[in-house]
Amino acid sequence: MHVVIVGCGRAGTALAARLDAEGDSVCAVDRDSQAQGRLAAGFGGEFVAGSGLHRPVLEAAGIERADALVALTSSDSLNIVIARVARDVFRVPHAIGRLTDFEHVPVATELGLDMVTSVQMTVDRVHRMLRHRPLEPEYTFGNGETVLVRAPVPDYLAGRPVTEFAVEGEITVVEITRGGHSTVPGPGTTLRKGDRVSFVAASSALRRLHSFLGGRWE
């Protein structure tokens, strides 16, 4: 996966280091050339100095082959624009931006953009969004050990009982939305095409749940 990260503040450098350590191709972008010095020692990715709004800068960062772009500058409006350009102009499959002012949330929502907030939560949440999309947690319990996630049911799981999702101590189905109506499933409930399911899962089990929903039933 090639990820372009625009903005080398605390969140940007932390995310770049994390993805690089996991073996992803990463290019960090910042208008301040000295920002390169904030990247972790041993960082194996690339760095491009310049504005994330300029096409030549994004192209130098590999935007045309990027699987994801994350806009983490200090400006909410800039992050919204960069994420939108990445999605709509360069057709990047996954464009994410950060917001620090909740007043900008309605604008981002209207544009259909994925946005996150805060520093550590930004790094953790973006990481989950990149690794386990569409299993982006809607609620986190404790220190993040357990999460509530919602996801559409893939067609190949239609007709299977919800009990097949249950993994003791790891995954439980707690709700199903069907035809606009929400129900709490019982032991005999079966999944249908078009269902949207709510799971409570251990964070460590998200990869397993992702494999269930991605066609790899383990």
Side-chain angles (χ1 to χ4, degrees):
M1 178 168 66
H2 180 61
V3 183
V4 176
I5 300 174
V6 181
C8 286
R10 287 187 297 163
T13 53
L15 181 62
R18 187 165 180 174
L19 294 175
D20 178 58
E22 293 176 352
D24 290 309
S25 169
V26 181
C27 184
V29 176
D30 199 285
R31 63 171 61 247
D32 181 4
S33 60
Q34 296 184 355
Q36 185 174 9
R38 302 182 196 133
L39 293 166
F43 175 68
E46 299 176 86
F47 176 85
V48 174
S51 171
L53 279 179
H54 293 166
R55 187 183 188 103
V57 172
L58 291 175
E59 289 177 343
I63 190 71
E64 293 174 324
R65 61 184 174 88
D67 300 289
L69 175 140
V70 186
L72 299 174
T73 75
S74 58
S75 168
D76 285 3
S77 57
L78 187 59
N79 290 337
I80 290 174
V81 173
I82 292 174
R84 189 178 185 187
V85 166
R87 184 193 66 185
D88 297 345
V89 176
F90 292 99
R91 304 299 180 187
V92 176
H94 201 180
I96 303 169
R98 180 180 63 185
L99 296 179
T100 56
D101 189 338
F102 283 97
E103 290 185 2
H104 294 125
V105 170
V107 175
T109 300
E110 184 176 344
L111 293 172
L113 297 171
D114 290 328
M115 308 301 284
V116 295
T117 59
S118 84
V119 176
Q120 188 54 48
M121 286 182 65
T122 292
V123 175
D124 291 341
R125 188 175 177 190
V126 167
H127 185 264
R128 286 196 296 263
M129 290 170 79
L130 293 176
R131 289 282 183 251
H132 304 299
R133 184 178 175 91
L135 299 182
E136 162 55 14
E138 297 200 358
Y139 193 84
T140 301
F141 302 93
N143 291 313
E145 300 88 352
T146 305
V147 296
L148 172 68
V149 297
R150 303 192 74 216
V153 172
D155 293 349
Y156 93 99
L157 288 177
R160 288 183 177 270
V162 295
T163 51
E164 290 194 19
F165 271 107
V167 179
E168 187 174 355
E170 293 187 357
I171 303 169
T172 302
V173 176
V174 295
E175 181 270 348
I176 295 177
T177 298
R178 178 179 294 163
H181 299 282
S182 175
T183 61
V184 176
T189 302
T190 57
L191 300 174
R192 296 182 187 174
K193 182 178 179 180
D195 282 353
R196 189 169 181 83
V197 182
S198 299
F199 305 88
V200 170
S203 293
S204 59
L206 282 176
R207 186 180 298 276
R208 186 172 191 176
L209 180 55
H210 189 272
S211 73
F212 287 174
L213 298 174
R216 296 178 296 279
W217 194 262
E218 300 176 354

